[in-house]
Amino acid sequence: MKTRLIFSILLLVSGQTIAKSIDSPTGCLGITPSAAYHRCWVDTATEQKNIYEQSFMTYLDKIKSAINENYNIEDVIEHARRAKTQWDNFIIDDCTVEASLWFKESPAYYDGYYLCLTQHYSKRIAYFKKIF
């Protein structure tokens, strides 16, 4: 019980940090925990995933324009796509582990899962913007 309370506090604090760092018009932390709070995290994670996918496509375009005839562009693009697929699988596993501290199918499980996804997507978006 004490562990869950501590984790709840950590989740709230990390959620505040993430909500401040993502491009969310309202942030989810101002909402009382409820169905609306859960919906906010789902929507925020979905929005971040869309931005992440767009950022990846822009990243590929920048790679294509930066590479000259001395490189095998097909190999570079293939490796970038493979790395993305592996990273996508990693974050699903990582966020499932984090969410598994809560009872499966509970609101806290899903809130933790989507909060984790949001954090990972935000980090990867920043990486794609910084790389070129």
Side-chain angles (χ1 to χ4, degrees), residues 22-42:
I22 58 175
D23 297 323
S24 176
T26 59
C28 299
L29 296 171
I31 302 171
T32 304
S34 64
Y37 180 78
H38 172 70
R39 180 84 252 152
C40 182
W41 281 118
V42 171

Side-chain angles (χ1 to χ4, degrees), residues 17-25 27-28 41 44-45 48 118-119 122:
T17 302
I18 293 164
K20 290 176 185 174
S21 68
I22 58 175
D23 297 323
S24 176
C28 299
W41 281 118
T44 301
Q48 288 296 295
T118 298
Q119 181 179 26
S122 295

Side-chain angles (χ1 to χ4, degrees), residues 1 13 30 62 72 90 122:
M1 182 70 168
V13 170
K62 288 178 180 179
N72 185 345
F90 163 76
S122 295

Side-chain angles (χ1 to χ4, degrees), residues 11 14-15 18 41 98 110-119:
L11 185 63
S14 67
I18 293 164
W41 281 118
E98 191 168 314
Y110 288 107
D111 292 345
Y113 180 78
Y114 288 109
L115 179 110
C116 178
L117 286 178
T118 298
Q119 181 179 26

Side-chain angles (χ1 to χ4, degrees), residues 37-56:
Y37 180 78
H38 172 70
R39 180 84 252 152
C40 182
W41 281 118
V42 171
D43 291 347
T44 301
T46 301
E47 179 182 327
Q48 288 296 295
K49 183 175 184 184
N50 291 337
I51 294 168
Y52 158 69
E53 295 292 344
Q54 291 170 350
S55 297
F56 179 72

